[in-house]
Amino acid sequence: METKVNEIADGIYRLSTFVEEIAPPAGFTFNQFLVLGDEPLLFHTGLRRMFPLVRSAISRLIPAERLRWITFGHYEADECGAMNEWLAVAPQSEVAHGETGCLVTLNDVADRAPHILQNGEVIDLGKGKRVRYLDTPHIPHGWEAGIFYEEATGTLLCGDLFTQVGNGPALTESDIVGPAIVAEDMFQYSSLNPGMGATIRRLAEFSPRTLALMHGPSFSGDGAAALHALADSYDHRISSYAVG
């Protein structure tokens, strides 16, 4: 395996590792995102066993020990499995997550106390980069779920939203909703709930220009339209289950 590095927005880098054994024959990508600034931020740590690959990839951009913030969407191995490895490598780094995730899990499992983020709280990374934390409980799964929005570039760090299989380009302007619906049918990974569509539509209010996907290519274009279409799909899915 190798971890590829691509800049998907100004100062935001996608670190992508393709694993062909998962979801064959298409395979599956595991992506992390590094946001540069005076206080660099990593969104997703990667699996613990992938740590050497991801560390090597980050070291092409900055010394790994400069990392300041360690963030992720929810508590799951591919999101934060290497959390403590990063805390050890970067002595000034802190894990930052929402209140639920910190109180329920991270206060115990993180080797250093995490920074608790309130919904809407902004971390100023310096050099014009600002990331805003957004609570998205149970979406796509996990009651502690949340995502981040980088305001200067209009980049929404989507976590597991829009998950798709395959090993596409680092950045695409093609449809990402159709492939996400296929992956939902395949994995049934979302915690379907009546508020799902409304929560995703609130994300669309930011009108993101780039959608950074954890599993699949990042998207450049009308992010709000893609989010509305995804919300419509989940509303339809939920109503179909209710009728059934």
Side-chain angles (χ1 to χ4, degrees), residues 74 136-143 145-147 161 191 193 195-197 199-200:
H74 52 271
T136 59
H138 302 291
I139 297 169
H141 43 252
W143 68 323
I147 61 178
L161 288 175
S191 299
N193 65 86
M196 195 165 190
T199 298
I200 295 173

Side-chain angles (χ1 to χ4, degrees), residues 65-86:
E65 60 269 20
R66 275 199 57 216
L67 193 64
R68 176 65 179 85
W69 297 103
I70 299 167
T71 64
F72 40 88
H74 52 271
Y75 187 72
E76 191 174 4
D78 57 344
E79 302 263 351
C80 61
M83 169 180 62
N84 287 322
E85 281 77 2
W86 284 112

